[in-house]
Amino acid sequence: MLSFAALASAGALAGCNINVVGGGTTCEVDGVVHDPGESFPDRDGCNTCVCSDDGTVACTLRACAAGCTYDGVDYAPGASFPASDGCNTCTCDPSGSGNVGCTKIACHGCEPGAEFPADDGCNSCTCDADGNLVCTDVFCAEGCTQDGIDYKPGESFPSPDGCNTCTCTADGAIACTERACACDPEAEWWRSYVADSPEQCQVIDFICPENTEYFGNACGCGCEQDASCPEYFNCMPPEPCDVEAIQARCPYSQIVY
């Protein structure tokens, strides 16, 4: 016969709640017949019972961890099950506290074959044939900064030229449309006009400084700095500033001392 640290007969063990029928050489528990010496799980899911030689049932008396109830269904400690939102997963606390913990990923209702951006702004998701959401798992850049404003990957915002649109890409770069814009040399602080008409631009020859690029429009042509450069850099104490580096990268921005 198996040995147990704590045993009690079925008649005296209310905690096991075992229904024993008959006696003799076998034990019948909840419609299942067990031979003498055979052990089997108790209904509580944590104790163990054994069929004795005289046909009675004895069970261990260990304290059982509490299970969990979620949406009217009981779960054993450590069990995992779908959340009610249909996309997250919940787990019954293995310690027996009775608490339920669930993942908190954003859920999307989707049609098989549908594609859309992931919530992180840089990955993409596809709804498979079973309606499950499958997303890429590439590293996402922290974001982009334009004119002192932070943007998330995938977020769009106005270009400094006032007519184009820029987008923060997954690798942290800024990509902008290149539509022809109405020009205003006085307002375009990020540009340095070398010629004030398209006709002059056809005959003039010049080289743009480092970290600037050629541009041309209806007002003329010249050099423009990177779109990520803000109009002003705050170098007022105690703000630390590398003035030479700023002037080299953003030659048309103003530095406030």
Side-chain angles (χ1 to χ4, degrees):
M1 181 180 295
L2 296 178
S3 175
F4 293 87
L7 291 174
S9 67
L13 183 57
C16 280
N17 194 27
I18 298 295
N19 177 28
V20 181
V21 179
T25 58
T26 61
C27 308
E28 184 176 345
V29 180
D30 292 342
V32 179
V33 177
H34 301 278
D35 294 326
E38 182 182 353
S39 61
F40 49 92
D42 190 0
R43 275 184 180 173
D44 59 17
C46 69
N47 280 285
T48 302
C49 299
V50 65
C51 178
S52 302
D53 292 336
D54 61 359
T56 59
V57 175
C59 302
T60 57
L61 291 174
R62 293 190 300 268
C64 300
C68 308
T69 300
Y70 183 84
D71 280 354
V73 180
D74 294 329
Y75 297 95
S80 295
F81 44 91
S84 57
D85 59 19
C87 69
N88 281 283
T89 300
C90 299
T91 302
C92 181
D93 185 2
S95 70
S97 68
N99 296 324
V100 174
C102 301
T103 58
K104 296 181 179 180
I105 61 173
C107 303
H108 294 275
C110 61
E111 294 292 333
E115 297 182 2
F116 44 86
D119 293 333
D120 58 19
C122 68
N123 280 284
S124 59
C125 299
T126 303
C127 190
D128 66 15
D130 297 325
N132 298 315
L133 196 62
V134 180
C135 300
T136 58
D137 189 22
V138 300
F139 172 77
C140 299
E142 293 185 359
C144 311
T145 300
Q146 173 81 302
D147 289 344
I149 301 175
D150 295 328
Y151 298 95
K152 296 179 180 179
E155 189 172 359
S156 296
F157 46 92
S159 171
D161 61 17
C163 70
N164 280 285
T165 300
C166 298
T167 301
C168 180
T169 63
D171 59 1
I174 295 176
C176 301
T177 57
E178 298 181 354
R179 296 189 302 269
C181 305
C183 51
D184 183 356
E186 294 297 326
E188 296 167 9
W189 56 266
W190 62 95
R191 288 174 170 165
S192 175
Y193 277 81
V194 177
D196 57 10
S197 71
E199 291 74 22
Q200 284 185 334
C201 293
Q202 293 178 1
V203 297
I204 194 172
D205 187 19
F206 63 93
I207 298 176
C208 287
E210 186 178 0
N211 294 322
T212 66
E213 295 182 350
Y214 171 87
F215 77 90
N217 56 34
C219 294
C221 58
C223 305
E224 63 182 7
Q225 65 185 13
D226 190 272
S228 65
C229 293
E231 184 174 2
Y232 297 97
F233 283 93
N234 179 16
C235 289
M236 295 286 290
E239 294 295 329
C241 281
D242 186 338
V243 175
E244 291 186 2
I246 292 174
Q247 291 175 333
R249 186 175 71 88
C250 305
Y252 306 139
S253 296
Q254 297 186 45
I255 300 176
V256 180
Y257 295 98

